[in-house]
């Protein structure tokens, strides 16, 4: 059974994701190999809900197992501290048990000796010595296993920390699109009308057509084929990541009901055939974190970064075609405010629908995006608006750009 065959329960973890998993009283670093949502008939035990097939770092594959979601936590600083605390607590508890258990055993053996015959009493010290030796050996074996596991975990953690960091540079105008998208959904409670046109699949296909026509035209046949394969592979990877992350990562809370409704309405369509550039752009914010779990060398990382940034430049070049600025509030498109041609150009106020903006603070008219000022009608440039939103005061003139 695959992840997509049962959508009754939300999967909060992804395949290939690095996690911490409870095994006994302790947390161990592990990797998710499979992720499934089980129904009543999907397991012999009748367990239901999200289950994950995990491999513990440094352990043999014979220890791989299916675990319920309750045994898994995110791999982050807080849970790593929790892992360390559990190890210390378990270690201290084990030491106390070693000290406390032996007197109890001696008392029990002494009690038994008092009711046994003389020959049995003479043999009891030997029995006691054997049990103590056996207990010491078990403790030593447990400590050796714990040290081996800790060593393997430390090695795994070191490998994780040494992984190459993925950095994707995003054009400023697309950053503004992200911020506007966030404000529309989370603050204004407005949603995009779905399905979007063009959708993610159409955008990716247009990107591939563009690269074939404009980039590979001057290359030899072999180089053209190689380049075409790379672009196709990158586009396919973007599509796969979008499909797997949209429902769990890319949506804001206010959009989740819309997602449930749209999936019921378009059962035959994939997410990439319903959503468009706005949600696709959100993926590029999450990609560095998601790709950190992949095993890429320096050359592969550099190549991937180059092609992902190339795709973002393509989005920027066509952003007027791919992105829309009108969101719908509760399914009703807001009416546009009508302006007369006699309106005067004033600082921070719109003139002629969207032309003639001048920042109400620094006076610039050159900015990648506009933000709300002290009043709903007043506008600030991107820099002044972000400063005002953060500090609730206007950006000082010492920080203004001299170029207007």
């Amino acid at each position: 059974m695959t992840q997509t065959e049962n959508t009754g329960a939300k999967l909060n973890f992804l395949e290939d994701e690095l996690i911490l998993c409870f095994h006994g009283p302790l947390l161990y670093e592990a990797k998710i190999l499979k992720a499934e949502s089980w129904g009543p008939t999907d397991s012999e035990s009748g367990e239901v809900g999200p289950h994950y097939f995990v491999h513990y770092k440094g352990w043999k594959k014979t220890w791989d197992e299916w675990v319920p979601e309750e045994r898994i936590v995110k791999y982050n600083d807080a849970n790593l501290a929790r892992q360390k605390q559990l190890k210390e607590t378990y270690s201290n508890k084990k030491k106390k048990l070693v000290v406390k258990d032996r007197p109890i055993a001696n008392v029990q053996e002494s009690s038994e000796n008092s009711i046994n015959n003389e020959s049995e009493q003479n043999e009891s010290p030997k029995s006691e010595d054997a049990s103590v030796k056996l207990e010491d050996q078990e403790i030593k074996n447990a400590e050796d296993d714990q040290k081996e596991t800790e060593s393997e975990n430390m090695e795994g953690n070191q490998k994780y920390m040494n992984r190459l960091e993925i950095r994707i540079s995003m054009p400023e105008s697309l950053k503004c699109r992200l911020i506007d998208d966030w404000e529309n959904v989370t603050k204004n409670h407005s949603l995009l009308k779905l399905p979007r046109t063009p959708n993610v699949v159409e955008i990716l296909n247009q990107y591939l057509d563009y690269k074939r026509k404009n980039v590979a035209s001057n290359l030899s046949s072999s180089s053209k084929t190689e380049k075409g394969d790379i672009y196709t592979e990158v586009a396919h990877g973007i599509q796969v990541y979008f499909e797997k992350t949209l429902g769990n990562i890319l949506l804001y809370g206010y959009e989740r009901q819309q997602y449930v409704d749209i999936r019921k309405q378009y059962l035959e369509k994939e997410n990439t055939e319903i959503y468009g550039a706005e949600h696709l752009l959100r993926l590029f914010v999450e990609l560095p974190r998601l790709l950190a779990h992949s095993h890429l060398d320096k050359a592969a990382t550099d190549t991937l970064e180059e092609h992902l940034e190339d795709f973002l430049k393509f989005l920027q070049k066509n952003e007027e075609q791919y992105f829309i600025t009108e969101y719908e509030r509760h399914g009703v498109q807001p009416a546009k405010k009508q302006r007369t041609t006699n309106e005067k150009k004033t600082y921070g106020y719109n003139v002629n629908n969207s032309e003639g903006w001048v920042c109400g603070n620094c006076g610039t008219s050159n900015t990648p995006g506009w933000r709300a000022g002290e009043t709903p009608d007043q506008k600030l440039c991107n820099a002044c608006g972000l400063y005002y939103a953060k500090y609730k005061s206007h950006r000082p003139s010492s920080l203004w750009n001299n170029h207007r």
Side-chain angles (χ1 to χ4, degrees):
M1 175 178 177
T2 63
Q3 177 178 345
T4 57
E5 289 177 315
N6 188 336
T7 57
K10 174 185 174 184
L11 294 170
N12 292 314
F13 300 88
L14 302 173
E15 291 183 6
D16 297 327
E17 183 175 351
L18 184 67
I19 49 92
L20 293 173
C21 183
F22 277 100
H23 193 284
L26 301 178
L27 277 170
Y28 296 98
E29 183 182 348
K31 181 180 180 181
I32 295 177
L33 303 180
K34 297 179 184 178
E36 296 180 0
S37 184
W38 290 0
T41 60
D42 294 326
S43 65
E44 296 180 357
S45 62
E47 294 184 62
V48 297
H51 282 71
Y52 304 89
F53 192 65
V54 301
H55 171 71
Y56 298 96
K57 285 284 185 178
W59 294 26
K60 294 182 180 179
K61 290 185 178 180
T62 53
W63 287 96
D64 294 358
E65 62 175 339
W66 284 100
V67 299
E69 194 168 89
E70 292 77 13
R71 283 177 55 184
I72 296 178
V73 296
K74 289 288 185 181
Y75 189 99
N76 54 36
D77 292 340
N79 288 326
L80 286 172
R82 181 183 179 187
Q83 179 194 39
K84 182 178 179 181
Q85 183 180 13
L86 286 172
K87 286 182 180 179
E88 293 174 350
T89 303
Y90 179 75
S91 179
N92 293 335
K93 182 178 179 181
K94 186 170 61 176
K95 290 178 182 178
K96 291 179 180 178
L97 287 173
V98 171
V99 174
K100 291 180 179 179
D101 285 349
R102 288 181 180 174
I104 294 175
N106 292 340
V107 171
Q108 291 174 340
E109 290 172 1
S110 175
S111 176
E112 292 172 357
N113 290 339
S114 65
I115 60 174
N116 289 335
N117 57 40
E118 182 177 355
S119 62
E120 289 174 334
Q121 290 177 5
N122 292 333
E123 292 177 357
S124 63
K126 297 179 181 180
S127 176
E128 179 181 350
D129 290 341
S131 65
V132 170
K133 288 180 180 179
L134 179 60
E135 181 182 352
D136 287 340
Q137 185 61 42
E138 290 176 348
I139 293 169
K140 184 177 183 302
N141 291 340
E143 290 176 344
D144 290 342
D145 291 342
Q146 182 68 13
K147 288 178 180 178
E148 182 179 356
T149 301
E150 290 176 355
S151 177
E152 292 168 350
N153 287 336
M154 289 178 64
E155 182 180 352
N157 291 340
Q158 187 63 36
K159 289 180 180 179
Y160 177 79
M161 297 302 293
N162 290 337
R163 285 176 180 168
L164 294 172
E165 181 180 2
I166 305 291
R167 294 183 178 181
I168 304 174
S169 177
M170 184 175 294
E172 287 297 324
S173 62
L174 295 185
K175 290 180 182 178
C176 293
R177 294 277 182 185
L178 276 171
I179 297 173
D180 290 340
D181 175 51
W182 174 79
E183 287 182 344
N184 275 311
V185 177
T186 61
K187 289 189 175 182
N188 301 334
H189 286 179
S190 300
L191 301 174
L192 288 161
K193 184 177 180 180
L194 299 176
R196 286 281 287 111
T197 303
N199 57 43
V200 172
V201 172
E202 292 168 339
I203 292 173
L204 292 172
N205 287 335
Q206 290 175 20
Y207 170 69
L208 291 176
D209 291 340
Y210 168 78
K211 301 308 292 186
R212 293 189 188 106
K213 293 177 181 177
N214 297 279
V215 177
S217 57
N218 298 325
L219 300 175
S220 63
S221 298
S222 58
S223 299
K224 186 184 298 185
T225 302
E226 183 180 353
K227 280 287 185 182
D229 290 343
I230 294 176
Y231 292 130
T232 301
E233 186 176 345
V234 170
H236 175 70
I238 293 173
Q239 183 174 348
V240 170
Y241 268 97
F242 186 87
E243 285 288 350
K244 287 183 174 293
T245 59
L246 176 69
N248 293 332
I249 297 176
L250 303 184
L251 296 177
Y252 299 121
Y254 189 71
E255 296 176 303
R256 296 201 175 276
Q257 186 58 49
Q258 182 194 38
Y259 174 75
V260 173
D261 295 339
I262 204 73
R263 291 308 312 159
K264 291 179 180 178
Q265 187 177 355
Y266 295 95
L267 296 174
E268 76 287 356
K269 290 183 179 292
E270 301 289 343
N271 291 328
T272 49
E273 298 175 288
I274 298 175
Y275 288 82
E278 294 79 13
H279 290 81
L280 178 59
L281 190 59
R282 298 181 195 175
L283 173 64
F284 283 80
V285 179
E286 301 292 338
L287 273 178
R289 179 177 65 85
L290 297 172
L291 292 172
H293 301 296
S294 60
H295 300 281
L296 299 175
D297 57 24
K298 181 70 166 58
T301 299
D302 293 342
T303 301
L304 183 59
E305 288 177 353
E306 177 186 348
H307 284 80
L308 291 175
E309 290 177 1
D310 181 72
F311 178 76
L312 287 175
K313 291 176 182 176
F314 173 79
L315 275 186
Q316 182 189 31
K317 183 178 180 180
N318 298 279
E319 61 179 300
E320 296 299 328
Q321 173 189 349
Y322 292 156
F323 294 87
I324 62 175
T325 57
E326 296 177 0
Y327 288 62
E328 295 184 350
R329 185 176 177 85
H330 300 296
V332 179
Q333 186 174 352
K336 294 182 179 179
K337 183 178 180 181
Q338 299 296 325
R339 296 184 180 274
T340 65
T341 57
N342 296 326
E343 284 182 314
K344 294 183 179 181
K345 183 177 181 180
T346 57
Y347 279 93
Y349 291 85
N350 195 2
V351 177
N352 296 330
N353 197 12
S354 62
E355 300 175 357
W357 287 104
V358 179
C359 179
N361 181 44
C362 69
T364 186
S365 59
N366 181 21
T367 178
W370 295 97
R371 319 224 143 266
E374 297 177 89
T375 64
D377 292 330
Q378 189 184 40
K379 291 293 180 181
L380 299 173
C381 69
N382 187 60
C384 289
L386 291 174
Y387 189 97
Y388 184 82
K390 184 174 182 180
Y391 298 104
K392 301 304 179 184
S393 63
H394 286 298
R395 193 164 63 114
S397 57
S398 59
L399 299 178
W400 295 356
N401 192 330
N402 293 328
H403 299 289
R404 293 284 178 260

